[in-house]
Amino acid sequence: MLEAYCGRRSYLPGGTLELKVSTDAPAYDLAIVRHARAPVEMLRMEAITGVSHPIPDDVVENGCGWPVALTIDIGADWPSGFYLVRLSSAGEMTETFFVLRAAKAVSKILWVIETNTWNAYNYFGGASTYTTGGDVYAGGAPRVSFQRPLPRGFLSLPDSEHRLATVGVVDKDVPYFIWAETQGLTGWTGAASWAHWGCRFSDWLEDQSIEVDLAVNSDLVDFPELLADYRLVVSVGHDEYWSWEMRDAIEGFVARGGNVAFFSGNVAYWQVRLENGGEQMVAFKTNVEGDPVIGTDDERRNTGMWSNWRTRRPENQMTGLSFTRGGYARFAGATPASSGGYSIYRHRHWALAGTALAYGDLLGGSSSLVGFECDGCLFQMEYGLPRPTGEDGTPANFEIIAMAPVTLWSRETAPEGLFPDGELPDVELVAEQVAGAHDAQTVEKFVHGHAMMGSYTSPAGGTVFSAGTTDWAYALRDSQVSRITRNVLEKLSF
């Protein structure tokens, strides 16, 4: 056994990294590597004495509690980036990570890594916010600690094909689940990881010679001055779990004229609270009735969906879009044979400049750009163009550039056995939390969703672009998707 985690998720250059390790090996080697096309080894140590520590019974809720095994001085000249800490011993290897913030902004772009979502899916200790065992959506822990190792598959994956959304083929059995089992991984690794989205976006940035600074979700709360030197905040991949304070930070930034680009999907679906010094994440989710804030003056801070009827702060007020009006694409029985791409409606939008896309064209179909989890809004057609109704919280001036049909899972369309008896499938759960009921008539209002790409501008001039799909980073090899990404970054960072 060889496991490790860092004392914090982010540091500054010149700071001290605290590494917590447990192993039954007598010694292990360590390397700290900055992610890049050609990874940069920043530090190597060998023959470090190994010490084994027990895993507490309450590890999921309260963390491992292991002592600091190593303190490492981070170089004052180390650049902001994503750093892997690799430990190895006698053929066994494990990884942990930290993000290095910039001591002084180098770029006008700040990429905030979705570490809250990783913690929600982390099943180290036998449970996550999704399950208390196995690959079924059952129960889930309402409190999960950041002070745990990440299971194998979160930070790197084998080179063979690995993705939840299908490309080209139609397969309701979810090939990723089958592939993961052959690799000794659980299916949950497909839903939250650097290995799926972050590494691809990072490599594309390097290819494009675009420099960005990095931070993590909790930095938006812990360092309120963080955003002052940036013009653009970027989200990538699966950015599902947001605290009230995170929302305040980003919405305040936009209200002051700052810009945000969500190259991500299922954004801010669940509200969470960070407690115990920020090291424990509270997420009652499907069991929101058990959240102790229900029935108190703080009920709006419940850890159900942001679109929950009690909260009165739907996420589309920030992003323009919501998973409650979107759903899954090319994933199990959800639109399994769809085009995988966006149909263009507003081809003159600034984000599409230089793409040659015209009204009705398909964007990203061959890459399943519209894949896995996607966000949309309530809309109506007006002279052949979709416009938001605004009744669900989407700003009235949100421009829908492109759309694609997606749908929330029902018991019939979800992978077999994922939702045991007693657990509401997605579409019924959304109906219950958003509308307060899950009878057939109410559920029908949420079945037919759409993925959407679009943007809006705040009264202060802050622009928010939303890609509406988790899988944007997978389609960056498409020249049109790449051009749109560059258009957004260039326009919103100046």
Side-chain angles (χ1 to χ4, degrees):
M1 187 269 286
L2 179 60
E3 300 284 4
Y5 60 96
C6 295
R8 297 176 60 185
R9 294 172 290 290
S10 78
Y11 295 88
L12 283 174
T16 301
L17 170 68
E18 294 182 328
L19 188 64
K20 303 182 181 185
V21 182
S22 178
T23 181
D24 52 12
Y28 58 92
D29 300 335
L30 174 149
I32 296 179
V33 178
R34 183 176 184 268
H35 180 89
R37 282 285 192 192
V40 181
E41 186 172 286
M42 311 298 292
L43 178 73
R44 174 170 288 276
M45 300 174 67
E46 297 181 345
I48 304 164
T49 301
V51 179
S52 178
H53 302 288
I55 299 174
D57 292 340
D58 63 348
V59 60
V60 174
E61 180 174 348
N62 294 313
C64 291
W66 296 339
V68 175
L70 289 172
T71 57
I72 298 171
D73 292 334
I74 299 170
D77 58 345
W78 289 18
S80 180
F82 190 85
Y83 288 78
L84 290 169
V85 183
R86 292 177 171 154
L87 291 76
S88 58
S89 176
E92 185 177 9
M93 194 273 283
T94 192
E95 295 175 311
T96 187
F97 80 97
F98 65 91
V99 165
L100 200 62
R101 310 189 308 276
K104 183 179 180 181
V106 174
S107 171
K108 288 296 182 182
I109 304 172
L110 179 68
W111 175 9
V112 180
I113 305 296
E114 71 282 18
T115 45
N116 283 358
T117 301
W118 300 357
N119 192 37
Y121 283 88
N122 183 353
Y123 53 86
F124 184 90
S128 69
T129 69
Y130 290 84
T131 182
T132 51
D135 288 340
V136 298
Y137 198 134
R143 293 179 173 85
V144 289
S145 175
F146 286 97
Q147 294 290 302
R148 297 179 292 159
L150 283 170
R152 194 167 67 90
F154 276 68
L155 298 175
S156 62
L157 286 165
D159 291 335
S160 57
E161 183 61 33
H162 50 271
R163 185 179 174 187
L164 282 172
T166 57
V167 182
V169 301
V170 178
D171 194 332
K172 295 183 180 181
D173 289 332
V174 190
Y176 181 86
F177 292 167
I178 299 168
W179 173 85
E181 187 176 1
T182 68
Q183 303 296 318
L185 308 174
T186 76
W188 298 108
T189 58
S193 75
W194 172 259
H196 281 281
W197 299 285
C199 65
R200 286 172 169 75
F201 194 75
S202 179
D203 290 347
W204 179 87
L205 289 171
E206 183 178 342
D207 292 343
Q208 299 290 315
S209 299
I210 297 174
E211 197 162 28
V212 303
D213 294 336
L214 267 63
V216 301
N217 285 158
S218 56
D219 290 335
L220 294 174
V221 180
D222 295 339
F223 307 104
E225 74 287 354
L226 179 67
L227 300 179
D229 293 329
Y230 297 99
R231 285 290 298 138
L232 172 62
V233 173
V234 170
S235 160
V236 174
H238 192 186
D239 201 357
E240 186 176 2
Y241 292 80
W242 284 56
S243 70
W244 191 280
E245 294 79 10
M246 284 174 59
R247 288 274 309 259
D248 282 351
I250 292 298
E251 289 173 16
F253 179 68
V254 175
R256 295 188 298 272
N259 304 314
V260 183
F262 293 101
F263 298 113
S264 46
N266 195 213
V267 177
Y269 184 51
W270 297 107
Q271 181 177 187
V272 296
R273 297 191 302 272
L274 300 187
E275 299 180 350
N276 288 357
E279 294 305 320
Q280 183 188 76
M281 192 170 80
V282 181
F284 278 80
K285 297 174 58 177
T286 61
N287 300 315
V288 65
E289 298 290 346
D291 193 325
V293 303
I294 297 296
T296 73
D297 291 342
D298 289 331
E299 187 172 73
R300 291 187 68 194
R301 301 206 180 201
N302 71 82
T303 54
M305 296 175 189
W306 274 106
S307 289
N308 188 292
W309 60 270
R310 299 177 179 88
T311 308
R312 304 185 303 282
R313 197 178 181 184
E315 61 271 30
N316 31 338
Q317 291 178 348
M318 174 179 69
T319 65
L321 303 173
S322 169
F323 186 67
T324 65
R325 298 297 175 178
Y328 302 101
R330 295 196 66 86
F331 186 25
T335 64
S338 61
S339 70
Y342 271 128
S343 293
I344 300 298
Y345 283 86
R346 288 182 170 83
H347 63 285
R348 295 186 178 89
H349 190 278
W350 57 263
L352 272 55
T355 63
L357 286 163
Y359 173 81
D361 284 354
L362 186 69
L363 170 67
S366 62
S367 303
S368 287
L369 168 64
V370 180
F372 185 36
E373 295 190 344
C374 305
D375 301 338
C377 69
L378 286 173
F379 70 98
Q380 59 189 10
M381 299 301 287
E382 188 174 302
Y383 302 114
L385 295 175
R387 298 186 187 278
T389 66
E391 61 190 284
D392 55 348
T394 294
N397 66 340
F398 185 85
E399 291 186 280
I400 301 171
I401 304 168
M403 295 198 310
V406 297
T407 188
L408 293 163
W409 274 335
S410 65
R411 196 169 297 280
E412 292 70 36
T413 59
E416 185 177 357
L418 183 64
F419 297 102
D421 291 343
E423 293 288 338
L424 295 178
D426 285 298
V427 68
E428 293 184 22
L429 181 64
V430 166
E432 177 66 40
Q433 292 219 8
V434 177
H438 63 274
D439 58 276
Q441 186 175 3
T442 304
V443 167
E444 186 66 19
K445 298 176 182 179
F446 296 91
V447 171
H448 305 106
H450 288 79
M452 295 178 181
M453 175 173 63
S455 71
Y456 74 92
T457 300
S458 74
T463 295
V464 175
F465 172 88
S466 284
T469 170
T470 54
D471 284 11
W472 188 271
Y474 272 105
L476 286 168
R477 57 194 168 202
D478 181 302
S479 61
Q480 292 174 321
V481 175
S482 179
R483 179 60 187 266
I484 292 169
T485 311
R486 192 169 188 102
N487 287 346
V488 171
L489 294 180
E490 289 180 349
K491 178 178 176 66
L492 300 188
S493 62
F494 291 98

